[in-house]
Amino acid sequence: MYGAHSDNGLRGDYRHAQADFTVDQRDHVYSDADHALWRRLYARQTQLLQTCACREFRDGLARMDAADGVPDLRAVDARLEAVSGWRLVAVPGFIPDEQFFRHLAARRFPVTVWLRKPEEFDYLVEPDIFHDFFGHVPMFFDPRFADYAQRYGEQALRLLERGALSLLARLYWYTVEFGLIDSDEGLRVYGAGILSSGGETPYAIESAEPLRLRFDLSRCMRTEYRIDSFQKTYFVIRSLDALAEVMTRDLSALVDALQAQPPLAAGRLYAGDEPVPPRGRMLAA
Ligand SMILES: [Fe+2]
């Protein structure tokens, strides 16, 4: 995740960060308890993946070989770069939006160095290395997702000047963080916010409670989101090719038009929406 937070009150240690907010992961010490907690988090989430995560996520995770403890980012970095040209950079936590976009545009994914506490096993407010690494990095092994994220960063840098941060944040939120995909295995998850959460992973594809809508770029960018509970709306893409294609167009004119329109509430169905049923259920007549 990323966010336009001030440096005040953030959990990470920013004292030794470079101008681009990167740090050296080797300066951060992980205790035996940290590694044990990582293994517990990893084991719990991987149980859910076979039936809930898309194949591309599962394949990427397998390539990372990170079940045994908090990973050394440099070790995975080399494998990732060989496959998709992306690198991992260590950061203290949230970083400014513009810098975050700059990293993405340069095919660098920022990963927070610190790990949550045991009492935060199920929930924490700021993203930690488990969320950033386990949740996000597997998808960067897929070239289509990798291209989408880079193009998002490039466009976001340009569109920031047009005051489009809210629209950009919603798009990132509903794809990279909370995206669902139609696959040959049925409805599956590719979003990191879901896949790093024990509760939201089955909820997102099986619960009758939230709305699942066919992905539409304008609809998605106008829709507000929740940061304090499970999502009330999810957007379902037809394929990773289709997602990558969205970013090949210049979004300037669309963003200007959308900024003149009011946001849409999470969890509400609007005219023109195309609902997608949860897994194992039929839409009510
Ligand atoms: Fe995230």
Side-chain angles (χ1 to χ4, degrees):
M1 291 183 201
Y2 69 96
H5 293 244
S6 77
D7 286 354
N8 296 329
L10 289 179
R11 188 161 162 175
D13 181 354
Y14 291 77
R15 288 172 299 174
H16 305 296
Q18 304 293 315
D20 65 356
F21 282 83
T22 59
V23 294
D24 189 336
Q25 190 195 15
R26 288 169 293 185
D27 293 338
H28 192 89
V29 177
Y30 301 100
S31 66
D32 290 346
D34 287 333
H35 290 297
L37 177 61
W38 176 278
R39 286 192 291 272
R40 279 175 53 217
L41 285 162
Y42 194 101
R44 194 267 300 268
Q45 284 311 105
T46 46
Q47 266 184 3
L48 299 166
L49 297 184
Q50 205 53 38
T51 53
C52 296
C54 67
R55 181 177 288 117
E56 291 80 2
F57 182 93
R58 303 197 310 269
D59 289 348
L61 188 69
R63 286 168 181 252
M64 285 160 43
D65 188 23
D68 294 338
V70 182
D72 176 349
L73 298 182
R74 288 168 307 164
V76 178
D77 201 34
R79 277 174 239 161
L80 179 61
E81 189 176 22
V83 173
S84 72
W86 274 74
R87 306 289 312 265
L88 304 179
V89 290
V91 292
F94 279 126
I95 64 174
D97 297 298
E98 189 177 346
Q99 184 58 62
F100 183 80
F101 297 148
R102 245 184 248 132
H103 282 306
L104 294 187
R107 291 178 101 85
R108 292 191 299 260
F109 188 71
V111 176
T112 299
V113 288
W114 56 265
L115 181 67
R116 68 191 68 186
K117 301 292 176 209
E119 58 270 25
E120 298 167 310
F121 192 77
D122 285 314
Y123 178 77
L124 80 170
V125 178
E126 295 174 40
D128 68 342
I129 189 170
F130 186 76
H131 167 83
D132 283 342
F133 185 87
F134 181 96
H136 281 289
V137 177
M139 288 305 295
F140 283 93
F141 282 88
D142 183 274
R144 298 159 297 178
F145 183 88
D147 286 348
Y148 170 75
Q150 180 191 9
R151 291 176 191 146
Y152 173 90
E154 288 170 346
Q155 295 230 29
L157 281 173
R158 285 203 306 273
L159 298 173
L160 260 188
E161 294 166 12
R162 304 172 101 93
L165 184 60
S166 296
L167 300 172
L168 293 165
R170 292 182 196 130
L171 177 58
Y172 188 89
W173 188 266
Y174 282 121
T175 57
V176 177
E177 295 291 356
F178 291 94
L180 303 182
I181 181 170
D182 264 339
S183 76
D184 56 4
E185 299 175 305
L187 188 62
R188 293 277 167 151
V189 182
Y190 71 94
I194 302 173
L195 290 171
S196 58
S197 161
E200 192 154 358
T201 299
Y203 172 89
I205 53 176
E206 290 171 354
S207 169
E209 213 172 289
L211 278 181
R212 292 171 197 81
L213 303 177
R214 178 66 59 201
F215 177 82
D216 174 87
L217 181 60
S218 301
R219 174 67 162 91
C220 178
M221 290 177 98
R222 287 183 66 189
T223 306
E224 295 173 321
Y225 57 82
R226 304 292 300 252
I227 60 167
D228 57 347
S229 66
F230 293 168
Q231 299 306 304
K232 294 184 178 301
T233 300
Y234 298 96
F235 289 92
V236 184
I237 59 170
R238 291 187 190 277
S239 68
L240 290 168
D241 286 313
L243 183 68
E245 203 273 329
V246 160
M247 272 297 146
T248 58
R249 289 170 264 155
D250 180 352
L251 301 185
S252 305
L254 176 66
V255 156
D256 289 347
L258 292 180
Q259 289 203 86
Q261 299 176 22
L264 304 177
R268 266 183 62 186
L269 201 61
Y270 291 87
D273 285 344
E274 189 185 335
V276 176
R279 181 165 69 192
R281 295 169 195 269
M282 300 297 289
L283 275 183

